[in-house]
Amino acid sequence: MNIILLGPPGSGKGTQAVKVAEYKNLSHISMGDILRKEMKEKTDIGIEAESYIKNGLLVPDDVVNKIALKAIQNSNKNGFLLDGYPRTLYQAEFLSKYANIDRVIYLDVPLEIIIERLAGRLVCKSCAAVYHKTNNPPKKEGICDQCGGELYVRDDDKEETIVNRFKIYTKETQPLLDYYKDKLVKINGANALEDVFESIKKVL
Ligand code: AP5
Ligand code: MG
């Protein structure tokens, strides 16, 4: 089974992707996590991506397409769950040449909630696990429950960058809702974390 998780920044793609991938035994492919790892390791891709990500802009299609193709080819035999890819029609067309998609799950969340979520987000430096200061806090302040790593605030979680990311999402990524309309299932992503997961499980 191959699944795409679609939704605006902060809609909970990463949070749900981890749970769904475990539930269905799928490879979780998070484009944002892959790009941040490249940035941390200061690879050529990471250096190129950094200026786009910092400003809330999309990394060029050709760069992310190559990364996605490699990740899909290395995914496990049960299939994959894409989180944060595709994000443009061009990327969706590219993907269609290499993989069949069974379901597209769209997490619908309004901008006010997104701002509140991203303003409180904490991410693990080592394993990229996602927390929220109040909605989903770690057991020990500043420390990852999963691996003991240090938690940090993402560079692109400043209010002006969030608004920019949302605008780009509306212009570039929202048209994918129509592109995938035959496979699309809309979920109310504004609900509590476990309720959103239950809704996704029902669909699958
Ligand atoms: P990426 O890392 O994918 O960022 P994004 O799409 O903006 O999404 P986020 O990771 O910010 O949010 P999310 O939906 O995963 O929400 P999360 O689960 O963390 O991409 C970053 C950048 O990389 C892009 O801006 C772009 O520059 C580049 N890039 C990536 N992919 C690209 C592509 N395909 N093409 C070109 N460029 C690309 O949740 C958010 C917070 O809310 C957390 O604190 C969480 O604990 C909390 N939360 C989650 N669910 C709930 C809930 N139900 N109730 C309460 N709180 C919740
Ligand atoms: Mg994410």
Side-chain angles (χ1 to χ4, degrees), residues 13-140:
K13 299 182 297 295
T15 302
Q16 297 298 330
V18 170
K19 296 164 88 68
V20 175
E22 193 190 353
Y23 172 65
K24 283 277 169 192
N25 189 19
L26 303 172
S27 296
H28 172 201
I29 302 172
S30 162
M31 186 56 71
D33 287 352
I34 296 172
L35 292 169
R36 280 184 288 278
K37 183 162 180 279
E38 299 279 346
M39 274 161 53
K40 191 169 142 193
E41 291 168 0
K42 300 204 185 317
T43 63
D44 290 346
I45 289 176
I47 291 164
E48 184 181 357
E50 188 158 8
S51 57
Y52 296 98
I53 293 181
K54 259 200 335 218
N55 294 307
L57 302 170
L58 292 182
V59 173
D61 286 332
D62 292 342
V63 175
V64 294
N65 282 345
K66 262 189 223 152
I67 295 174
L69 182 57
K70 196 169 148 200
I72 286 167
Q73 286 168 343
N74 290 329
S75 64
N76 81 35
K77 62 177 189 319
N78 288 325
F80 56 77
L81 191 160
L82 286 167
D83 152 16
Y85 180 90
R87 265 174 145 103
T88 64
L89 284 170
Y90 187 79
Q91 292 175 21
E93 292 285 358
F94 177 85
L95 175 66
S96 71
K97 291 189 227 152
Y98 299 97
N100 283 322
I101 301 301
D102 300 292
R103 272 269 191 281
V104 178
I105 295 171
Y106 165 50
L107 298 178
D108 186 24
V109 182
L111 181 61
E112 319 80 86
I113 295 184
I114 284 171
I115 291 177
E116 184 269 323
R117 284 189 187 173
L118 295 184
R121 174 163 60 187
L122 298 166
V123 181
C124 176
K125 266 189 186 164
S126 310
C127 74
V130 178
Y131 299 87
H132 189 278
K133 284 176 193 164
T134 50
N135 302 340
N136 181 25
K139 292 192 182 93
K140 250 196 214 161

Side-chain angles (χ1 to χ4, degrees), residues 6-7 58 86-88 168-177:
L6 262 184
L58 292 182
R87 265 174 145 103
T88 64
I168 288 177
Y169 164 80
T170 306
K171 180 163 176 273
E172 302 287 346
T173 310
Q174 227 163 3
L176 296 183
L177 302 182

Side-chain angles (χ1 to χ4, degrees), residues 126-160:
S126 310
C127 74
V130 178
Y131 299 87
H132 189 278
K133 284 176 193 164
T134 50
N135 302 340
N136 181 25
K139 292 192 182 93
K140 250 196 214 161
E141 198 184 320
I143 306 287
C144 178
D145 295 348
Q146 318 284 330
C147 75
E150 188 190 334
L151 302 183
Y152 79 109
V153 175
R154 263 171 53 177
D155 259 1
D156 56 349
D157 280 349
K158 291 186 240 98
E159 186 160 342
E160 68 270 24

